[in-house]
Amino acid sequence: MISGAKNAVLPIMAATLLTSEPCIIRRVPNLSDVRFMAQILESLGATVRFDGDVLHVQAAKITGVGDYELIRKMRGSVCILGPLLGRTGKAMVSMPGGCVIGARPIDLHLKGLKALGAKISIDKGYVNAAVRKLRGAELFLGGRSGPTVLGTANVMMAAALAGGITVIESAACEPEVVDLANFLNDMGAKVCGAGSPTITITGVKKLHGAEHEVIPDRIEAATFAVAAAATGGEVTLRGARPDHLHAVLDKLKEAGVTVERSGAALNISRKGKLKPVDITTLPYSGFPTDVQAQIMVLMALTPGISIITERIFESRFMHVSELARLGADIAIEGPSAIVKGGGHLSGAPVMASDLRASAALVIAGLAARGTTEVSRVYHIDRGYENIDGKLRKLGARIERTEAP
Ligand code: EPU
């Protein structure tokens, strides 16, 4: 069963700060990033309670500015800026640094919030934002690598409580942005056009509590689909949304993988030979950067040459040197990885560097001969709910030697 989407639930949790009333969020994945975000909300004065995969949050009053240490640790926490500005007129978050996948600036977030009237300064590593009253504006949020997902989320949340109309041009079209817009609308906001490059938000005076079910995680679904293809196995993805997975399923089919719909589930299997495919990561509805590392493993197992080009994050190839330890033949040429596939992978100790790279290493380990030991698996627990348990159910021989 596919869990709720990490990248949808994080901004939705942040959006609960926009109202003093209780919110209920369903299908919340049990992830360390989610627990971090819950602690951040608590440090801002909200009461937070998990009841299985149901999260109850109420930010009756915003007290304080949040726990910097927590905010610093999780890049996704940048999306508290918009709701805090909207609700209280001030916000402070630690300026996120780069990470292993690239520089990760937040200039577009700040540009958008400034356009709504916020005064922003950066002092001692912190972003300080303040405004008497946010006012709607027309703004363009496209950057060098296309739109920004969390930047769009931030501006949408701030604009929900601004005076007047905000139009975001070159908005991110990801399903997670649509899920957030649906939640905001359930709270009484007026957001139109989410899922397209133009989003219009008509500010309202107040938002109320709402109940929402998070969309299924398309990246988790894609990861399991690739794992089945890489191991020559079969998987039934229950609860996945095929309409969120077009680019991934299309490439899998092109590579010779069988993709079948059966009612509400998706069946992925590999019966015949694999074929190499070239892939370029792009903003939605293009091929997701968050599946680039996993599909590279599949291509490393596929006879022939494939070129995988990363267009979203500048240095998201940390997995390449680890895959080489398993015997993969991959060369980096600028933003592209040239994969000479078809050789056998053989198990080795490898180290996870980020969330999706760790998923790729797990898939490689399952497909490799012998035993692979992946260290620093805390990266994987940030974004995959019980990945080892789910894989074991599918017949994988995988065990965790350290408690999560
Ligand atoms: N960018 C800027 N300026 C900004 C913001 C972004 O230049 O102010 C650039 C980035 O450097 C990057 C591109 O724009 O080159 C796209 O970045 P985006 O802002 O869309 O990324 P994000 O919102 O910070 C989310 C996901 C990522 C996912 C990206 C792209 C969350 C919590 N994170 O990040 O997820 O890779 O969108 O789809 O939603 C993951 O789950 O493993 C992960 C990294």
Side-chain angles (χ1 to χ4, degrees):
M1 189 67 169
I2 300 302
S3 302
K6 166 182 84 86
N7 291 347
V9 76
L10 294 176
I12 286 173
M13 287 171 77
T16 63
L17 295 170
L18 286 162
T19 178
S20 58
E21 294 182 16
C23 294
I24 299 175
I25 309 169
R26 300 186 183 279
R27 206 210 266 245
V28 174
N30 183 5
L31 304 171
S32 59
D33 268 10
V34 167
R35 292 191 292 274
F36 260 129
M37 185 56 108
Q39 285 175 29
I40 290 171
L41 298 182
E42 276 176 335
S43 75
L44 288 160
T47 55
V48 179
R49 182 170 59 84
F50 285 95
D51 182 4
D53 69 351
V54 182
L55 177 63
H56 300 258
V57 188
Q58 183 170 14
K61 266 200 185 133
I62 306 286
T63 54
V65 281
D67 182 324
Y68 297 145
E69 270 312 300
L70 285 171
I71 293 171
R72 200 175 53 79
K73 274 194 198 149
M74 191 180 66
R75 199 185 180 285
S77 63
V78 70
C79 60
I80 62 172
L81 257 182
L84 283 179
L85 262 184
R87 171 98 179 261
T88 67
K90 60 177 194 287
M92 195 170 166
V93 298
S94 63
M95 182 78 182
C99 67
V100 292
I101 67 174
R104 310 202 72 179
I106 58 162
D107 55 312
L108 297 170
H109 298 236
L110 304 186
K111 174 183 166 186
L113 296 173
K114 276 183 194 162
L116 301 183
K119 296 269 178 292
I120 294 182
S121 62
I122 294 172
D123 187 28
K124 298 192 182 88
Y126 291 104
V127 179
N128 289 301
V131 67
R132 191 129 36 113
K133 173 82 186 122
L134 290 170
R135 50 181 156 66
E138 274 185 32
L139 53 108
F140 180 83
L141 270 194
R144 210 162 45 96
S145 313
T148 160
V149 177
L150 289 178
T152 302
N154 244 334
V155 174
M156 222 161 66
M157 291 188 278
L161 287 179
I165 296 176
T166 298
V167 181
I168 309 176
E169 294 292 354
S170 196
C173 302
E174 270 67 4
E176 293 75 16
V177 171
V178 178
D179 206 29
L180 172 64
N182 289 340
F183 179 57
L184 291 172
N185 286 338
D186 290 345
M187 295 172 83
K190 292 191 173 142
V191 182
C192 287
S196 83
T198 306
I199 301 180
T200 306
I201 305 119
T202 306
V204 296
K205 284 214 165 69
K206 227 177 150 213
L207 294 176
H208 51 74
E211 201 171 324
H212 183 77
E213 182 170 307
V214 177
I215 53 168
D217 197 315
R218 64 194 167 100
I219 308 301
E220 186 197 28
T223 301
F224 277 94
V226 174
T231 52
E234 187 173 355
V235 65
T236 301
L237 303 172
R238 281 191 296 126
R241 288 268 305 255
D243 56 322
H244 292 166
L245 286 160
H246 286 305
V248 174
L249 298 180
D250 190 61
K251 281 294 169 193
L252 287 176
K253 283 186 210 161
E254 201 183 320
V257 177
T258 307
V259 176
E260 290 158 329
R261 284 209 198 186
S262 82
L266 258 178
N267 278 328
I268 313 286
S269 58
R270 166 155 68 87
K271 290 161 191 142
K273 276 194 181 147
L274 290 170
K275 287 173 279 190
V277 289
D278 292 341
I279 293 166
T280 300
T281 65
L282 289 169
Y284 192 79
S285 58
F287 193 92
T289 172
D290 292 343
V291 189
Q292 179 256 105
Q294 301 89 313
I295 201 94
M296 193 181 290
V297 175
L298 186 64
M299 288 302 106
L301 295 162
T302 304
I305 295 182
S306 56
I307 301 178
I308 300 180
T309 305
E310 173 57 55
R311 290 270 179 235
I312 307 296
F313 292 112
E314 58 193 4
S315 56
R316 201 171 201 181
F317 282 137
M318 297 295 283
H319 41 284
V320 169
S321 51
E322 295 305 295
L323 291 176
R325 295 163 69 86
L326 302 178
D329 184 351
I330 306 169
I332 305 291
E333 287 283 349
S336 299
I338 322 285
V339 186
K340 287 188 196 152
H344 285 292
L345 300 183
S346 60
V350 287
M351 203 195 293
S353 55
D354 83 85
L355 169 57
R356 307 305 170 186
S358 11
L361 293 176
V362 168
I363 296 173
L366 294 176
R369 286 185 185 154
T371 304
T372 297
E373 192 179 304
V374 185
S375 54
R376 301 197 179 169
V377 283
Y378 52 84
H379 285 295
I380 219 165
D381 296 322
R382 284 188 37 225
Y384 289 93
E385 182 172 49
N386 185 25
I387 191 169
D388 43 328
K390 287 187 183 183
L391 284 170
R392 261 195 307 278
K393 264 196 181 164
L394 293 168
R397 278 181 287 160
I398 180 169
E399 61 181 292
R400 191 184 278 270
T401 45
E402 246 174 59

